[in-house]
């Protein structure tokens, strides 16, 4: 379901929607994805399950939209005038609170790739693809400014580099993906690979 | 437990050990990590559970040693004389069969980071750390040959780059980490980040 479709079909105010997403994120932190039920969301938010299903279709979409609502890594509003600046803005938009959210996002993704096809599909359609589209736009601007060559093969691998950094740091090293870590990785890996 | 400790305490021939690991990998493919039991391993390999526990300590270590036995990405024997050659050898040692094994390895790692602290610890100690040690040795040789600067910050992120490539490709794109893919990623990302 597109954002427009959600807006069209929604009788909720943005405030009410935010309240719902925050409840979902709270439950997710408490019980994890597998044990989270639409009943529990309905109870905590004093909504009917029918409303939840009508608005979001199912658990996977509701959870991913809640994670997306946090937008720890959103690129849509970033346009600093240089590629280095854009990537640094991406790292710096992570305040301390969002570091925890980014970790939650990576744990959610691990759950999805581990065992839940619906959740993985929702992640791909609602979180990864829209961010990749913004990333491609950011890279196109850098190409137009002459900062990277149009045929630089690393442009196809920016997602791999970023998922590698944040995923390995969070899930294997079990350390927080702090601003310092992200800035260091961007300068050491992402920009050199892109020839900047 | 170190390899030496396993060898010392083992009354098994290498052939018998290989047979056991293959049975474990077969079961892992059929039922997944959570549903795999030491009973099933004992039955399939006509061993006693006591022998399995004496030799491996538990399920997590047995499974990771079986995955390590496949060694799809082993670096220990690679020394081509150039860093590009070493990384390419790493990609090329993946034949078609090992691509499937590498995917199994990433799925196992996703299981571990998702839900199993024992398995994650075994992955770290028995698979990731030994390979990282080989990787550091490979990079030191490149520093000594003057191919990379001793203070290149990307040296700390080689694991992140490789896990990002193979993990994103396998688990998010759901495509096989083929030789062509790995060679392309190494040339586009890993070597430029290292300044080669």
């Amino acid at each position: 379901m597109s954002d427009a479709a959600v807006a069209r079909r929604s009788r909720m105010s943005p405030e009410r929607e935010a309240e719902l997403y925050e409840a979902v994120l709270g439950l997710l932190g408490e019980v994890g994805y597998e044990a989270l039920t639409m009943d529990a969301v309905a109870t905590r938010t004093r909504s009917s399950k029918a409303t939840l299903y009508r608005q979001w279709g199912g658990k996977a979409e509701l959870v991913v939209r809640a994670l997306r609502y946090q937008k720890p890594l959103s690129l849509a509003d970033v346009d600093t005038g240089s590629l280095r600046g854009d990537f640094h803005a991406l790292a710096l938009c992570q305040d301390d609170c969002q570091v925890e959210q980014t970790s939650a996002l990576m744990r959610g993704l691990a759950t999805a790739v581990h065992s839940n096809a619906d959740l993985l599909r929702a992640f791909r359609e609602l979180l990864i693809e829209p961010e990749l589209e913004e990333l491609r736009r950011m890279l196109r601007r850098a190409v137009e400014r002459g900062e990277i060559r149009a045929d630089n093969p690393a442009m196809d691998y920016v997602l791999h580099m970023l998922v590698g950094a944040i995923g390995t740091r969070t899930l294997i090293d079990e350390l927080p993906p702090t601003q310092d870590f992200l800035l260091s990785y961007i300068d050491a890996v992402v920009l050199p690979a892109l020839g900047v």
Side-chain angles (χ1 to χ4, degrees), chain A residues 14-24 45-46 69:
Chain A
E15 293 72 23
R16 176 68 179 141
E17 212 176 311
E19 199 184 325
L20 250 145
Y21 288 147
E22 273 157 22
V24 170
T45 59
R46 299 174 311 283
Y69 154 77

Side-chain angles (χ1 to χ4, degrees), chain A residues 33-158:
Chain A
Y33 182 79
E34 298 301 335
L36 186 147
T37 63
M38 293 297 259
D39 276 316
V41 175
T43 304
R44 183 165 296 192
T45 59
R46 299 174 311 283
S47 352
S48 74
K49 279 211 304 185
T51 304
L52 298 180
Y53 278 107
R54 192 174 56 242
Q55 180 107 7
W56 285 283
K59 183 169 95 165
E61 175 153 355
L62 174 57
V63 166
V64 172
R65 286 208 179 261
L67 288 167
R68 181 176 160 180
Y69 154 77
Q70 299 184 310
K71 281 199 189 170
L73 292 171
S74 184
L75 293 164
D77 308 319
V78 169
D79 187 2
T80 65
S82 80
L83 189 64
R84 176 178 302 267
D86 285 356
F87 271 115
H88 279 204
L90 174 65
L92 292 170
C93 80
Q94 295 250 101
D95 63 25
D96 286 348
C97 167
Q98 283 168 323
V99 163
E100 195 36 60
Q101 291 171 353
T102 306
S103 300
L105 198 71
M106 292 312 303
R107 286 192 295 271
L109 193 54
T111 306
V113 302
H114 167 54
S115 60
N116 198 296
D118 283 351
L119 186 60
L120 182 57
R121 193 176 326 110
F123 252 102
R124 241 198 240 111
E125 287 175 12
L126 300 173
L127 262 169
I128 297 174
E129 263 311 314
E131 289 303 307
L132 258 184
E133 195 40 60
E134 293 299 334
L135 210 46
R136 287 188 202 108
R137 199 166 298 150
M138 195 171 115
L139 294 169
R140 272 198 302 273
R141 289 196 309 259
V143 170
E144 282 158 18
R145 286 190 302 258
E147 286 186 88
I148 34 179
R149 290 174 50 130
D151 61 352
N152 185 311
M155 280 198 282
D156 290 337
Y157 298 127
V158 175

